[in-house]
Amino acid sequence: NYTKRINEIASVLTPFRYVANIETLSEAQLNCHGYYRGFICPHGHTIRDKSYHWCYECVRKISNNNCGFDINYIEGLYRHRLLSIWNKIPVGDFDECWEAPALTTTRIRFPSYRSATSKNLAENISAHKVIYQCAWGDVGKMVVTRTCGNKACLNPLHMVSSWNRSFPPLEIHPFDHSFDPEKLMHSADNNLKETPEPIMNTKYQHTIQHPLLNKNTPDYDDTQELYHGSYAQEFGT
């Protein structure tokens, strides 16, 4: 079951270390906390864990049980690659498997944390990890697996890393996997600003978590401040 699969892969989890105002720290200060500035992730973040290379902001998003993306606001380096992949996935209801055997029987050339030091911008990555990192977040070298057991499935709600919580959300939100000229223009204009605005923070309403999760979840974790970060405001908890 879902909880058992979480526990099976939890052994590779490296602890999340919350750092206040982490984006303002120097490289030396980041290093003291076990982080570094690395290759940009699909969601535009650069601070990563030194050991497993997961993205700091993406892990905050995943740990808040938020699954969602708007392809128009994905980092430009990844955007067209992801559009091509999503165009081949038969998207159905959120509780169904989205089977794409043509994608899941081979590997996909896709950027990763290794792109910062590799001669090649892309490497061979499994389709389900590519989709997980698009919809959930970038987990670096950590493992992504399917809870449904269907090897052909590319529904992000059927995918989990050791950062996921006990119950997945009921839907992917936001979920825009097609290009919108107006959004693309907004994204391009925003990237030209000296201080770009966090578009996703202002564009989308809060999500609703699985009701069973809410029964046993504390409102606040004062050891990591995990649930009151930018993604808690962006997508809701």
Side-chain angles (χ1 to χ4, degrees), residues 61 198 200-202 204-207 229-236:
K61 174 179 181 290
M200 295 293 283
N201 287 26
T202 58
Y204 295 101
Q205 299 299 315
H206 292 178
T207 57
S230 61
Y231 281 101
Q233 298 171 0
E234 175 180 327
F235 292 96

Side-chain angles (χ1 to χ4, degrees), residues 10-213:
S11 59
V12 300
L13 176 64
T14 53
F16 181 87
R17 291 91 58 199
Y18 171 78
V19 181
N21 302 315
I22 191 170
E23 68 281 352
T24 67
L25 300 187
S26 67
E27 291 297 333
Q29 290 171 321
L30 285 173
N31 184 65
C32 290
H33 291 285
Y35 294 114
Y36 72 101
R37 284 188 175 84
F39 195 76
I40 195 166
C41 82
H43 305 278
H45 314 130
T46 58
I47 297 177
R48 294 181 177 271
D49 172 71
K50 288 175 61 179
S51 298
Y52 288 91
H53 308 283
W54 39 262
C55 169
Y56 177 90
E57 294 295 345
C58 283
V59 164
R60 293 183 70 180
K61 174 179 181 290
I62 299 166
S63 299
N64 275 296
N65 208 30
N66 294 314
C67 181
F69 72 99
D70 186 323
I71 198 167
N72 298 283
Y73 302 130
I74 290 287
E75 181 64 27
L77 182 64
Y78 299 86
R79 192 180 297 150
H80 283 86
R81 297 170 188 262
L82 285 169
L83 177 67
S84 175
I85 295 169
W86 277 108
N87 283 341
K88 299 174 184 176
I89 299 175
V91 174
D93 293 338
F94 287 127
D95 60 351
E96 297 177 342
C97 286
W98 302 348
E99 297 187 358
L103 291 173
T104 54
T105 54
T106 185
R107 287 185 169 259
I108 296 172
R109 297 289 294 171
F110 202 73
S112 78
Y113 68 92
R114 294 190 181 94
S115 298
T117 56
S118 173
K119 292 181 180 179
N120 300 313
L121 178 62
E123 63 174 342
N124 293 324
I125 301 176
S126 65
H128 71 281
K129 187 167 186 178
V130 168
I131 292 301
Y132 179 93
Q133 298 196 141
C134 170
W136 285 98
D138 192 327
V139 291
K141 66 187 295 185
M142 298 180 75
V143 175
V144 173
T145 189
R146 302 175 184 86
T147 59
C148 61
N150 184 348
K151 293 183 178 180
C153 178
L154 288 178
N155 181 344
L157 294 178
H158 292 186
M159 299 175 192
V160 63
S161 75
S162 50
W163 293 111
N164 287 91
R165 292 162 72 178
S166 297
F167 297 98
L170 297 177
E171 62 180 29
I172 304 170
H173 178 82
F175 183 44
D176 194 338
H177 52 90
S178 59
F179 280 171
D180 180 314
E182 186 175 342
K183 287 182 179 179
L184 289 171
M185 186 174 297
H186 181 198
S187 179
D189 290 343
N190 184 61
N191 289 336
L192 294 175
K193 295 179 181 178
E194 183 175 347
T195 306
E197 65 175 343
I199 295 177
M200 295 293 283
N201 287 26
T202 58
K203 284 288 184 183
Y204 295 101
Q205 299 299 315
H206 292 178
T207 57
I208 300 174
Q209 289 188 340
H210 192 291
L212 293 179
L213 179 66

